[in-house]
């Protein structure tokens, strides 16, 4: 209908994105997947789930847990984000360190193309080496090449034993060294390694009244293990903690083994975004960098902005080199934005990082793609867009720079 009439379409799932990818800019028709929320099938032997794009991530996880499985991704917006949107933006999140990105766990897709025809690549095979892997074009394409309507995804078994350690470190160098030690000693049971600075903890305590069991450190790390044998896992974790404490990597810490305490500790990390919104206007940056340089950006931005910013905080998924840099101010200021951009992007490009690790480019960052991709790559992307959406009706003004 829209193709025949040259009407622009804005696909929208849970609308939890942070770069304006699911928000209409002018007069696009919003195409919501909210009613496409059926689970089509689940195979307990292979762990392959096939479902419609509008299924809410948390609901899928609850369904799978009853079957002894979990979703391979987990993120703060799980209560409202849709799996279709997760795939369309190649969402990262808290489990990527253990289970990899959606590019590896999504086995097949059903996609409706710009002319209204349906591309059925909804395979449930782990191995299929016939021709180009078309689904990869749509994963992370932010709705600009087609509308994802169903997903086939490989789900891991639910771990029988989950432990969490929340630790305080005296420097970022110690955070890095703790990660190296942790990876060596915990190996296959390590499922998350998150870090946050003391400013994050101050904001979570101040605005959300959450109490941290560990205080007085410049940095905090949250380490999760997931395995099949609680005795084995606890022994490994205790050996690691003993090593970390005696070598001075960690100054203080607490461990959680029961569900309630685990949820309480995770909320200190997952609710940082919420705490920031209470602090004022937030400038958000989602960067990936070589792990050794990760926190240097926060320090440099803090020095650059001085008192013109209220708070400059850094937290994120250290295990995969993903930093969330957030700057708060009393209200939006154009001069403050000019001081932040393109400085943050230039700094990131200098160290061969990515200006968007997991949030995508959407509307807000599309003009900055050249900081992470060479002109030849952008040209090729524009070619794919022109071929699959010749009328330019699918999620226009998003992801690719203007004029494409």
């Amino acid at each position: 209908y829209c193709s025949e009439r040259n009407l622009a379409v804005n696909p929208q799932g849970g609308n939890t994105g942070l770069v304006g990818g699911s928000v209409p800019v002018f007069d696009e028709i919003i195409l919501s997947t909210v009613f496409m929320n059926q689970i089509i099938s689940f195979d307990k032997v292979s762990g392959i789930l096939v479902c419609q794009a509008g299924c809410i991530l948390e609901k899928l996880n609850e369904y799978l847990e009853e079957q002894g499985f979990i979703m391979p991704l987990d993120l703060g917006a799980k209560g409202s984000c849709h799996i279709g949107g997760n795939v369309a933006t190649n969402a990262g999140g808290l489990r990527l360190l253990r289970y990899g990105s959606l590019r590896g766990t999504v086995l097949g897709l059903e996609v409706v193309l710009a002319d209204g025809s349906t591309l059925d690549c909804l395979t449930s095979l782990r191995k299929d080496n016939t021709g180009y892997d078309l689904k990869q074009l749509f994963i992370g394409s932010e709705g600009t090449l087609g509308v994802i309507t169903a997903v086939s995804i490989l789900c891991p078994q639910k771990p029988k034993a989950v432990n969490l350690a929340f630790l305080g470190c005296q420097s970022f160098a110690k955070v890095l060294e703790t990660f190296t030690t942790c990876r060596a000693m915990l190996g296959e049971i390590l499922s998350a390694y998150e870090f946050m600075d003391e400013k994050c903890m101050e904001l979570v305590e101040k605005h959300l009244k959450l109490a941290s069991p560990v205080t007085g450190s410049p940095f905090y790390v949250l380490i999760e293990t997931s395995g099949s044998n609680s005795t084995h896992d606890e022994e490994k974790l205790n050996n690691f903690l003993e090593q970390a404490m005696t070598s001075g990597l960690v100054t203080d810490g607490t461990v959680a083994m029961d569900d309630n305490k685990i949820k309480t500790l995770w909320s200190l990390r997952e609710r940082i975004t919420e705490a920031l919104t209470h602090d004022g206007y937030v400038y958000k940056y989602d960067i990936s960098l070589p792990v050794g340089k990760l926190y240097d950006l926060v320090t440099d931005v803090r020095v650059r902005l001085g008192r013109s910013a209220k708070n400059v905080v850094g937290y994120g998924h250290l295990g995969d080199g993903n930093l969330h840099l957030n700057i708060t101010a009393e209200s939006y200021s154009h001069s403050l934005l000019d001081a932040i951009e393109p400085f943050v992007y230039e700094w990131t490009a200098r160290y061969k990082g990515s200006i968007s690790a997991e949030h995508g480019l959407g509307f807000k960052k599309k003009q900055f793609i050249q900081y992470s991709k060479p002109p030849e790559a952008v040209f090729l992307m524009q070619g794919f867009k022109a071929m699959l959406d010749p009328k330019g009706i699918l999620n226009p003004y998003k992801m690719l720079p203007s004029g494409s």
Side-chain angles (χ1 to χ4, degrees):
Y1 181 94
C2 293
S3 178
E4 283 170 11
R5 290 162 181 77
N6 280 352
L7 297 173
V9 174
N10 181 181
Q12 191 178 92
N15 206 12
T16 61
L18 294 169
V19 289
S22 58
V23 182
V25 181
F26 293 111
D27 54 358
E28 303 92 294
I29 289 168
I30 296 176
L31 182 64
S32 171
T33 56
V34 71
F35 295 123
M36 301 186 73
N37 57 4
Q38 300 300 304
I39 289 167
I40 298 165
S41 66
F42 178 65
D43 186 323
K44 272 186 153 181
V45 179
S46 63
I48 295 166
L49 171 78
V50 182
C51 65
Q52 291 182 325
C55 292
I56 291 169
L57 181 59
E58 192 168 43
K59 293 268 188 282
L60 289 176
N61 205 61
E62 286 167 3
Y63 167 83
L64 288 169
E65 282 195 350
E66 288 173 12
Q67 321 275 330
F69 287 77
I70 58 169
M71 286 298 283
L73 76 157
D74 182 23
L75 42 144
K78 60 189 164 198
S80 46
C81 65
H82 294 184
I83 189 64
N86 296 149
V87 174
T89 56
N90 189 30
L94 306 158
R95 287 180 180 157
L96 193 134
L97 175 66
R98 176 67 171 272
Y99 301 118
S101 79
L102 286 170
R103 294 196 178 280
T105 50
V106 170
L107 304 176
L109 293 175
E110 178 188 77
V111 182
V112 174
L113 301 175
D115 63 1
S117 60
T118 304
L119 177 67
D120 184 355
C121 291
L122 204 60
T123 176
S124 292
L125 300 171
R126 295 278 307 268
K127 288 182 164 181
D128 178 8
N129 231 354
T130 52
Y132 304 130
D133 190 1
L134 293 177
K135 70 174 180 290
Q136 294 296 351
L137 259 185
F138 300 98
I139 299 173
S141 70
E142 303 187 46
T144 60
L145 301 179
V147 181
I148 294 169
T149 49
V151 179
S152 167
I153 190 164
L154 181 66
C155 303
Q157 283 193 292
K158 183 184 178 183
K160 291 186 174 67
V162 176
N163 297 309
L164 207 62
F166 190 85
L167 313 170
C169 293
Q170 288 305 305
S171 68
F172 191 70
K174 292 262 168 68
V175 170
L176 293 174
E177 215 180 318
T178 303
F179 176 57
T180 309
T181 309
C182 164
R183 212 164 33 169
M185 294 185 73
L186 298 177
E188 78 289 350
I189 62 167
L190 178 64
S191 52
Y193 190 100
E194 300 287 307
F195 92 96
M196 53 229 103
D197 61 21
E198 63 182 336
K199 278 275 177 226
C200 292
M201 286 300 100
E202 281 171 22
L203 294 175
V204 166
E205 288 178 19
K206 179 182 173 184
H207 297 300
L208 306 179
K209 304 291 183 272
L210 298 182
S212 171
V214 183
T215 54
S217 295
F219 292 94
Y220 298 93
V221 296
L222 192 150
I223 299 166
E224 184 190 74
T225 64
S226 308
S228 55
N229 184 321
S230 56
T231 314
H232 164 269
D233 292 5
E234 281 169 33
E235 188 183 334
K236 283 189 99 155
L237 184 58
N238 288 333
N239 287 342
F240 157 72
L241 291 171
E242 193 179 324
Q243 167 76 17
M245 288 287 196
T246 53
S247 61
L249 290 178
V250 168
T251 47
D252 196 4
T254 185
V255 175
M257 289 168 188
D258 69 275
D259 277 358
N260 286 338
K261 195 177 175 190
I262 285 172
K263 279 182 181 149
T264 304
L265 288 179
W266 260 121
S267 65
L268 291 171
R269 161 63 184 87
E270 287 190 317
R271 294 183 69 188
I272 293 170
T273 307
E274 187 186 337
L276 284 158
T277 61
H278 291 285
D279 202 52
Y281 184 86
V282 192
Y283 301 82
K284 291 176 173 291
Y285 298 90
D286 160 47
I287 309 287
S288 63
L289 286 162
V291 182
K293 300 298 298 176
L294 209 60
Y295 201 74
D296 291 353
L297 176 57
V298 183
T299 311
D300 286 1
V301 169
R302 216 171 258 158
V303 170
R304 179 177 171 85
L305 300 182
R307 293 191 171 183
S308 59
K310 193 173 174 187
N311 279 300
V312 178
V313 308
Y315 66 97
H317 320 296
L318 189 116
D320 45 59
N322 182 186
L323 168 74
H324 294 307
L325 166 70
N326 284 246
I327 297 141
T328 65
E330 289 298 346
S331 57
Y332 173 79
S333 153
H334 203 74
S335 60
L336 183 56
L337 183 65
D338 286 344
I340 302 167
E341 296 176 13
F343 175 80
V344 166
Y345 300 136
E346 288 168 350
W347 198 103
T348 304
R350 195 181 318 139
Y351 294 104
K352 305 282 191 287
S354 167
I355 65 159
S356 182
E358 58 181 3
H359 293 166
L361 294 167
F363 181 69
K364 289 177 105 173
K365 293 185 179 178
K366 60 173 186 162
Q367 295 302 120
F368 300 113
I369 192 171
Q370 76 275 10
Y371 287 105
S372 291
K373 290 286 185 289
E376 297 81 3
V378 177
F379 182 72
L380 201 54
M381 289 180 203
Q382 289 166 335
F384 284 131
K385 171 73 173 168
M387 180 184 74
L388 285 167
D389 182 17
K391 295 182 176 181
I393 64 166
L394 270 177
N395 218 10
Y397 327 112
K398 313 288 172 61
M399 203 174 89
L400 294 171
S402 295
S404 59

